[in-house]
């Protein structure tokens, strides 16, 4: 029975792509926290989301990990290193070494630390050429998890998120349905009885013609790819002026989900 949960990470764990009614994001970790809270008496569950979009591994280790250590929760989800892997010239072996050093500190105080792998990017226009690099990092994460007895939220094997409806318009972050499926898979990883199958089939989609696909690609490049490249060239991050959501009540999360459903 998990009575406290702290989510550590970047945009994926912050919930980018899953907007709530107030402009802030919900995301898989918040949805997963509700699944955990449903198994506790009302008011007997504590949840804190420390994740901030755009953060690199060392920033997460410096800013979020000490706060998680101080709280010493029953469960920590630790997703970090993905933004490092996306940067040109980074070595996934070296990133994994830093990831392991941070994990040691978390496992010393938290009851359970759940780690996540990266997604299979074979269908993503910009990221598919990084597939081998991501797979290498995933292999390290799984091996590290084995060494420290950590459950693994394996996103690479989650086939349902290969559907484009699992992704936001920016093609870099999950949609609300994508975040929901990850939350369900996280529950399965911890042995919870979840209300739906994260791998349930999507409804059939109408076939798109080449012109429609091309039009969508041009729109995406103009609206999302060019600004993303611009931030990289200027040394800016999408999370430069963002603060973590912090402590959230399951009741508030439920209300925010319901208001946009």
């Amino acid at each position: 029975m998990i009575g406290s949960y702290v989510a550590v990470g970047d945009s994926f764990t912050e919930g980018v792509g899953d907007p709530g009614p107030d402009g802030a994001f919900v995301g898989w970790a918040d949805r997963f926290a509700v699944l955990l809270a449903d198994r506790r008496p009302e008011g007997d569950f504590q949840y804190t989301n420390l994740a901030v979009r755009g953060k690199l591994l060392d920033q997460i280790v410096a800013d979020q990990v000490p706060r998680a250590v101080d709280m010493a929760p029953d469960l920590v989800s630790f997703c970090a290193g993905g933004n490092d892997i996306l940067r040109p010239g980074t070595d996934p072996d070296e990133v994994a070494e830093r990831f392991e050093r941070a994990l040691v500190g978390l496992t010393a105080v938290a009851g359970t630390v759940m780690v996540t792998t990266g997604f299979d990017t074979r269908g993503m226009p910009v990221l598919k050429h990084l597939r081998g690099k991501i797979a290498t990092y995933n292999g390290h994460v799984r091996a590290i998890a084995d060494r420290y007895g950590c459950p693994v939220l394996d996103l690479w094997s989650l086939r349902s998120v290969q559907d484009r409806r699992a992704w936001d318009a920016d093609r870099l972050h999950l949609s609300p349905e994508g975040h929901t499926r990850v939350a369900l898979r996280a529950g399965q990883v911890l042995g919870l009885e979840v209300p739906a199958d994260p791998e349930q089939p999507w409804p059939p989609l109408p076939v798109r013609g080449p012109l429609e696909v091309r039009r969508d690609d041009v729109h995406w490049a103009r609206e999302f790819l060019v600004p993303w490249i611009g931030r990289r060239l200027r040394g800016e991050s999408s999370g430069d002026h963002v603060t973590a959501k912090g402590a959230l009540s399951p009741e508030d999360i439920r209300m925010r989900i319901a208001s946009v459903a």
Side-chain angles (χ1 to χ4, degrees):
M1 295 292 290
I2 296 170
S4 55
Y5 167 40
V6 175
V8 172
D10 50 29
S11 60
F12 167 62
T13 302
E14 183 188 346
V16 174
D18 185 9
D22 53 1
F25 295 104
V26 182
W28 76 270
D30 292 9
R31 294 173 180 272
F32 174 51
V34 171
L35 292 177
L36 295 172
D38 286 344
R39 286 149 178 80
R40 301 285 297 189
E42 187 173 352
D44 188 28
F45 182 79
Q46 295 177 329
Y47 168 57
T48 303
N49 191 319
L50 302 176
V52 175
R53 70 198 76 167
K55 295 304 181 183
L56 300 170
L57 173 58
D58 287 348
Q59 294 171 317
I60 292 170
V61 171
D63 299 336
Q64 299 177 34
V65 169
R67 295 174 63 187
V69 167
D70 288 343
M71 286 184 267
D74 295 335
L75 173 68
V76 173
S77 60
F78 183 41
C79 179
N83 287 324
D84 298 71
I85 297 300
L86 296 183
R87 299 207 164 193
T90 54
D91 179 358
D93 300 334
E94 189 274 332
V95 176
E97 290 175 1
R98 290 187 280 123
F99 179 92
E100 182 169 4
R101 289 196 292 270
L103 184 68
V104 170
L106 288 170
T107 56
V109 297
T112 300
V113 180
M114 181 173 66
V115 300
T116 65
T117 69
F119 293 99
D120 185 349
T121 59
R122 59 185 166 181
M124 299 180 179
V126 174
L127 302 181
K128 62 183 178 182
H129 72 284
L130 295 173
R131 191 176 183 228
K133 195 175 177 182
I134 294 169
T136 298
Y137 187 61
N138 284 351
H140 283 302
V141 168
R142 293 188 190 97
I144 293 166
D146 284 345
R147 284 198 287 274
Y148 297 95
C150 299
V152 179
L153 176 54
D154 188 359
L155 304 176
W156 184 279
S157 67
L158 187 59
R159 296 187 302 270
S160 62
V161 296
Q162 294 299 320
D163 190 285
R164 61 186 175 88
R165 287 167 289 186
W167 294 88
D168 189 36
D170 67 3
R171 304 184 184 180
L172 291 172
H173 299 99
L174 293 174
S175 66
E177 179 64 21
H179 278 284
T180 298
R181 288 173 183 255
V182 170
L184 293 169
R185 173 55 61 87
Q188 289 179 334
V189 168
L190 293 189
L192 305 183
E193 193 171 313
V194 296
D197 180 5
E199 293 283 25
Q200 60 185 313
W202 294 82
L205 269 177
V207 177
R208 296 191 301 162
L211 289 179
E212 185 181 1
V213 172
R214 174 65 176 168
R215 185 173 62 248
D216 289 347
D217 289 344
V218 170
H219 173 77
W220 167 76
R222 182 176 63 249
E223 296 296 321
F224 300 105
L225 179 59
V226 172
W228 183 76
I229 293 174
R231 287 196 303 271
R232 292 294 176 271
L233 294 176
R234 294 190 298 271
E236 298 175 356
S237 168
S238 57
D240 283 345
H241 305 291
V242 176
T243 57
K245 289 183 282 189
L248 298 170
S249 73
E251 294 75 18
D252 181 52
I253 297 171
R254 291 189 191 97
M255 286 173 36
R256 295 176 70 234
I257 293 172
S259 67
V260 296

